[in-house]
Amino acid sequence: MTESTPAGLYRGMRLIRAFEETALSLVRSGEIVGGIHPYIGQEAVAVGVCAALRPDDQLTSTHRGHGHVLAKGADPRRMLAELAGRESGLNRGRGGSMHAADLSLGVLGANGIVGAGAPIAAGAAWAALRQGLDRVVVTFFGDGALNQGVLLEAMNLAALWRLPVLFVCENNGYATTLSVQAGVAGSALARAAAFGIPAEAVDGMDVEAVRLATERAVERARSGAGPSFLECRTYRFEGHHTMERRVRLNYRSAEEIDSWRRRDPLERCDPGAGQRAVIDREVGELMAEAVEFALNGAHPDPAGALDHLYADGLLPRAGVPT
Amino acid sequence: MTKLSYAKGLNRALADELARDPAVCVFGEDVGAGLAGLTPGLQARFGADRVVDTPLSEQAFTSLALGAALAGMRPVVEFQIPSLLFLVFEQIANQAHKISLMTGGQITAPVTYVVPGSGSRDGWAGQHSDHPYSLFAHVGVKTLLPATPADAYGLLVSAIRDPDPVVLFAPAGALAVREDVTTELVPVPIGSARIHRPGEDVTVVAAGALVYDALAVAEELAGQISVEVFDPRTVYPFDWAALSASVARTGRLVVADDSNRMCGFGAEVITGVVERGAPLRTAPRRVTRPDGAVLPFALGLDRALQPSRDQLRDAVRAVMF
Ligand SMILES: Cc1ncc(C[n+]2csc(CCOP(=O)(O)OP(=O)(O)O)c2C)c(N)n1
Ligand SMILES: [Mg+2]
């Protein structure tokens, strides 16, 4: 769980940044297969939101999900082991970058399908209401998801049934190569308003602003007033996916990237006098340990490739007669 | 002689059809950037109003393509990942596929759906590694699965010219293939199989990229067992005449199919041959993904669930006795 003190917020963001930088280098060295969607640049969103949550609150994550899962408290060692496909990973090496999740922390899955997490979050929130729990469920999604019917359908249900859901749109300006200007008619906030969902735009590079806005929304949800919508304006500093390092695409200008890098959420966060260096060193040591842990983990046994497919132990037929 | 890559084969087919027929147009995500390999250069050449970048609204743009087709266009719709076809199954199976019959033949729906990279792509995990060609064959949508660059060219051209909805799966495992092309690229008729290597003892029906595994196994066993490598190229409609003729010669059958075993394409091929009373000398075999396979992330697990060369070799040996 992310602590809401200045040092806690900074540490949460530094951990994600360091984790992603480590993951990038393991992609380069071939230890992580299939690549990742780096979260670098957007740390203030995951950390600001999760700092306003209780441990029993839940969330659904996305293809760009490492930050959300870490901010909710996942062990970076087991998270990295998951990305490296080891049995010691959060998902026993079955999920990988796009699905790394820790259910014990209320992470109801990271998703490879854009927009797919929103109705799942609404369902968990509906169940919480029925069960008399006052938990809140957050669904993270990108600007690209604003154009998925299923997200808009989930917003309608959440508003109609006053579900304790917080819709967090991480507007980083692009869905892969498509800019928001070219992809979204009207606006994110207007879409929420159309369902009567209170909506607010937040500087997604300012962790404290995100935390405060989330606090207000969470308060509303817990008091029974229903869903809220936050549009966090942010930016990804890296390519959409690590494969973008191999193919040259020019949908964003160098000046644009630079101007956002100058608003780096880690630089703009003051952890308190003398804290920065201490935290940086501590996180650096943690990540070194995580690499050790991840790369020394055992690879899963291929004989167990279909383990966990069915909860009741049903054994499917193999691909050849046995 | 030139080297043609698989992606270039698809790209060239699309370019040729865009140039030939003003009704042809393209919808998809990041098609301007050519991210998925199908469309590089096409937006610059044909314009952003014919090669159209769409928002992430698959259900809408898939049926928008149908609407455009009903109004006289010939849309090609690109999907970046195979599981997006699950998202738009309604729009394809329930709308485009049914409209001709339901309107009593008043109208047809010439839409082509292309997945440039279907099947496992090392490390893309459960939601990005499906290869759902059996599903589309099952509902009766014309389903193409070219294995080679020239067939990718020829089948995409035929798909675009076809009056009905057609789904084309470009197997991820074939995308890196390059081929020497000595003759002019031509359309390949839908529903026509191809024998890559003639043989006398066993017919191996290999779907998509598994053609290359079948060829490798055939080469390896040459001298001991003479393997005929049969590439259906089209999953549906299937070239039963060609397969019957092949099996009539060899009397033995193995199917290599990158679908799930239960209700998969391999099951249909074997049934079709048996039903026709082919004189099989031994029980046929198939090598498939397991029942209901979800591909796990870790590479060793992912590989363990895909039909392998070893499994195919064992199956070929097994049907000899
Ligand atoms: C429904 C769906 N369509 C397309 C894709 C392929 N895809 C993966 S991420 C992505 C862009 C998503 O953009 P956005 O929602 O803004 O999130 P970001 O990547 O910017 O974090 C696309 C097109 C997908 N995974 N799911
Ligand atoms: Mg985005």
Side-chain angles (χ1 to χ4, degrees):
Chain A
M1 225 35 229
T2 304
E3 277 182 53
S4 58
T5 59
L9 296 173
Y10 177 79
R11 186 187 181 280
M13 294 196 291
R14 173 55 66 194
L15 177 64
I16 296 171
R17 178 70 55 91
F19 183 93
E20 293 295 68
E21 282 167 351
T22 304
L24 284 175
S25 80
L26 294 182
V27 169
R28 249 177 267 127
S29 68
E31 297 284 358
I32 293 175
V33 178
I36 65 168
H37 298 88
Y39 195 68
I40 294 175
Q42 304 184 197
E43 293 90 345
V45 180
V47 169
V49 167
C50 290
L53 299 181
R54 283 194 329 224
D56 66 322
D57 290 332
Q58 298 174 321
L59 63 83
T60 63
S61 177
T62 67
H63 58 286
R64 198 178 305 289
H66 304 168
H68 313 141
V69 182
L70 287 167
K72 196 70 173 63
D75 177 353
R77 299 174 315 152
R78 296 189 56 215
M79 179 97 176
L80 197 62
E82 183 57 33
L83 269 55
R86 308 304 165 109
E87 191 68 45
S88 50
L90 287 175
N91 311 30
R92 303 185 171 95
R94 270 67 174 178
S97 165
M98 260 190 289
H99 305 291
D102 188 337
L103 274 288
S104 73
L105 298 170
V107 179
L108 302 175
N111 216 303
I113 302 301
V114 171
I120 297 173
W126 181 86
L129 270 192
R130 302 262 315 163
Q131 293 156 358
L133 302 172
D134 67 345
R135 78 161 48 120
V136 169
V137 189
V138 174
T139 180
F140 289 99
F141 53 90
D143 46 282
L146 289 170
N147 297 315
Q148 283 291 329
V150 75
L151 180 92
L152 303 175
E153 293 171 31
M155 283 166 64
N156 183 53
L157 292 180
L160 199 61
W161 297 338
R162 297 172 83 84
L163 302 178
V165 180
L166 174 54
F167 293 90
V168 178
C169 176
E170 296 189 72
N171 180 353
N172 60 10
Y174 296 87
T176 317
T177 66
L178 187 76
S179 71
V180 169
Q181 292 72 19
V184 181
S187 70
L189 295 181
R191 285 181 195 194
F195 297 107
I197 298 178
E200 187 179 341
V202 193
D203 179 355
M205 309 305 267
D206 179 342
V207 68
E208 183 61 8
V210 174
R211 189 184 71 80
L212 289 173
T214 306
E215 240 174 32
R216 290 190 287 274
V218 164
E219 177 56 38
R220 197 154 44 228
R222 276 204 225 291
S223 72
S228 303
F229 187 106
L230 290 185
E231 180 194 1
C232 301
R233 301 205 172 136
T234 183
Y235 202 76
R236 59 170 161 75
F237 292 175
E238 294 287 318
H240 168 69
H241 180 269
T242 41
M243 75 183 171
E244 210 181 301
R245 294 174 159 229
R246 278 182 280 121
V247 287
R248 226 193 36 220
L249 300 171
N250 46 10
Y251 59 94
R252 327 189 276 186
S253 68
E255 299 80 65
E256 181 184 295
I257 298 173
D258 275 357
S259 75
W260 280 92
R261 277 185 182 277
R262 281 198 293 277
R263 307 186 51 218
D264 190 322
L266 276 81
E267 302 301 323
R268 289 174 71 200
C269 173
D270 180 8
Q275 288 292 301
R276 191 176 291 265
V278 176
I279 293 170
D280 288 2
R281 179 163 6 93
E282 184 225 324
V283 167
E285 283 162 11
L286 179 57
M287 282 317 302
E289 197 191 319
V291 172
E292 274 283 303
F293 178 86
L295 299 187
N296 287 326
H299 291 277
D301 177 359
L306 282 174
D307 286 359
H308 317 293
L309 179 57
Y310 298 104
D312 67 355
L314 168 64
L315 282 180
R317 287 177 303 173
V320 291
T322 46
Chain B
M1 190 175 77
T2 52
K3 278 263 188 215
L4 183 70
S5 75
Y6 194 105
K8 193 70 200 162
L10 289 176
N11 181 253
R12 213 195 278 174
L14 192 47
D16 286 356
E17 291 308 290
L18 280 161
R20 191 187 60 82
D21 181 353
V24 175
C25 55
V26 184
F27 297 103
E29 289 150 20
D30 310 297
V31 292
L35 203 65
L38 176 65
T39 56
L42 298 185
Q43 196 177 64
R45 182 168 161 205
F46 297 100
D49 53 347
R50 286 188 75 197
V51 179
V52 184
D53 271 314
T54 60
L56 277 67
S57 303
E58 291 84 5
Q59 296 186 316
F61 69 69
T62 301
S63 268
L64 186 142
L66 170 59
L70 300 182
M73 304 296 284
R74 284 192 174 262
V76 175
V77 188
E78 184 206 77
F79 300 97
Q80 289 181 347
I81 49 181
S83 57
L84 294 182
L85 290 178
F86 299 152
L87 196 57
V88 299
F89 202 58
E90 199 282 330
Q91 285 73 17
I92 300 176
N94 203 37
Q95 303 294 338
H97 174 57
K98 293 182 177 173
I99 196 157
S100 176
L101 182 140
M102 291 195 311
T103 58
Q106 294 178 67
I107 197 135
T108 59
V111 187
T112 303
Y113 313 95
V114 183
V115 184
S118 188
S120 168
R121 296 192 287 177
D122 289 0
W124 285 77
Q127 290 180 336
H128 281 62
S129 304
D130 298 285
H131 206 356
Y133 53 87
S134 290
L135 208 53
F136 285 84
H138 181 74
V139 293
V141 178
K142 295 175 181 175
T143 304
L144 316 184
L145 189 59
T148 70
D151 284 345
Y153 175 92
L155 281 169
L156 182 53
V157 168
S158 295
I160 294 169
R161 296 181 189 176
D162 195 90
D164 290 315
V166 179
V167 184
L168 187 147
F169 292 92
L175 290 182
V177 170
R178 290 158 64 86
E179 168 179 37
D180 289 329
V181 178
T182 48
T183 54
E184 210 188 320
L185 291 167
V186 290
V188 170
I190 290 174
S192 122
R194 163 176 179 183
I195 289 172
H196 283 272
R197 177 182 173 121
E200 281 151 29
D201 299 327
V202 184
T203 300
V204 172
V205 176
L210 292 168
V211 163
Y212 298 99
D213 297 293
L215 286 169
V217 167
E219 183 60 28
E220 208 183 298
L221 297 177
Q224 308 161 44
I225 304 171
S226 169
V227 175
E228 176 145 305
V229 178
F230 182 100
D231 172 5
R233 300 196 289 192
T234 302
V235 174
Y236 185 81
F238 188 82
D239 192 346
W240 291 113
L243 183 59
S244 295
S246 172
V247 174
R249 280 195 304 278
T250 62
R252 297 183 188 86
L253 176 65
V254 171
V255 186
D257 170 26
D258 200 6
S259 311
N260 296 342
R261 198 164 188 83
M262 186 71 185
C263 295
F265 172 62
E268 180 59 40
V269 171
I270 289 178
T271 308
V273 167
V274 171
E275 253 173 5
R276 280 170 179 74
L280 286 174
R281 290 191 253 175
T282 56
R285 290 232 170 184
R286 61 194 156 121
V287 173
T288 65
R289 292 187 184 192
D291 285 352
V294 176
L295 292 198
F297 165 70
L299 208 51
L301 303 180
D302 170 304
R303 293 271 159 77
L305 298 188
Q306 292 178 68
S308 71
R309 239 168 240 197
D310 288 346
Q311 290 172 333
L312 185 55
R313 187 190 316 104
D314 291 348
V316 168
R317 288 221 164 93
V319 298
M320 286 307 293
F321 306 105

